[in-house]
Amino acid sequence: MRALNSICVFCGSSEGDDERIVEAAVTLGKKMAQQQISLVYGGAKIGIMGKVADSVMQCSGEVVGVIPEFLKQKEIVHLGVHKLITTTNMHERKMKMQALSDGFITLPGGFGSLEELFEVITWSQLGLHQKPIGLLNVEGFYDDLLAMLEHMVHKEFLKKEDYKLLLVDKDIDKLLEKMKAFKSLKVSKWLKKDRT
Ligand code: AMP
């Protein structure tokens, strides 16, 4: 079993229209705090991002926000977090979030959340990290996306083994268990050689 001391959560800067999704974000925050897993996230006060952060803090957990300077106004920076890291741009933000985390969980969100999720999957696919990537498919929010990914496997544009890099569950405890048990087989030989 791998230790998960910190998890980066990608999720919406909106709250959506479904109270059950907001509740799932709050429950995730609570469970992370209870299991002493610190939260690394986008540093905003708004949307379900803010809900997860508030929930972790209400349960005495640790929160690290990572936000680019230009987004501080737009996304309303959360000044209550334990540590706030300001970056110069989005790329630096994602690098920082990746470096600070032992794994990733994506909750419902929009383009921003999908971009962040797919970036960490592609980095894993390339063997650039071996960290677990979880998708919390609460209320079947991601059913259509998963159907699309299966279609990509079926059409042989996505390798089955790469699809398996995405750990999916609708239940938070089960998702965390899958992440703790995750063993990456992806250490690319050419990348290893290239990096030396
Ligand atoms: P969204 O899922 O669109 O509500 O966005 C959620 C988070 O993703 C927000 O913190 C955004 O700042 C971030 N985000 C938006 N666009 C991008 C992008 N192109 N790359 C990385 N993160 C982004």
Side-chain angles (χ1 to χ4, degrees), residues 7 12-13 40 48-49 52 66-67 80 84 94 99-100 106 108 124 150 154 183:
I7 290 180
S13 51
V40 176
I48 59 171
M49 297 168 74
V52 182
V66 187
I67 191 162
L84 187 70
K94 284 184 288 182
L100 291 172
T106 300
S124 177
E150 276 157 31
H154 178 67
K183 286 194 186 93

Side-chain angles (χ1 to χ4, degrees), residues 90-153:
M90 299 297 268
H91 299 294
E92 194 189 334
R93 178 202 223 181
K94 284 184 288 182
M95 293 290 285
K96 198 87 202 158
M97 287 167 106
Q98 199 278 125
L100 291 172
S101 312
D102 296 324
F104 311 90
I105 291 182
T106 300
L107 295 179
F111 280 153
S113 305
L114 283 187
E115 198 275 347
E116 289 166 325
L117 167 67
F118 282 113
E119 179 139 72
V120 292
I121 300 182
T122 52
W123 288 356
S124 177
Q125 186 173 267
L126 292 169
L128 294 172
H129 72 78
Q130 285 80 39
K131 299 175 184 182
I133 301 167
L135 183 72
L136 191 68
N137 190 21
V138 52
E139 299 302 324
F141 182 82
Y142 283 116
D143 283 353
D144 291 341
L145 178 70
L146 293 168
M148 180 67 209
L149 298 181
E150 276 157 31
H151 177 66
M152 286 158 74
V153 173

Side-chain angles (χ1 to χ4, degrees), residues 8 11 35 59 65 115 117 129 182:
C8 177
C11 60
Q35 296 186 30
C59 299
E115 198 275 347
L117 167 67
H129 72 78
F182 175 73

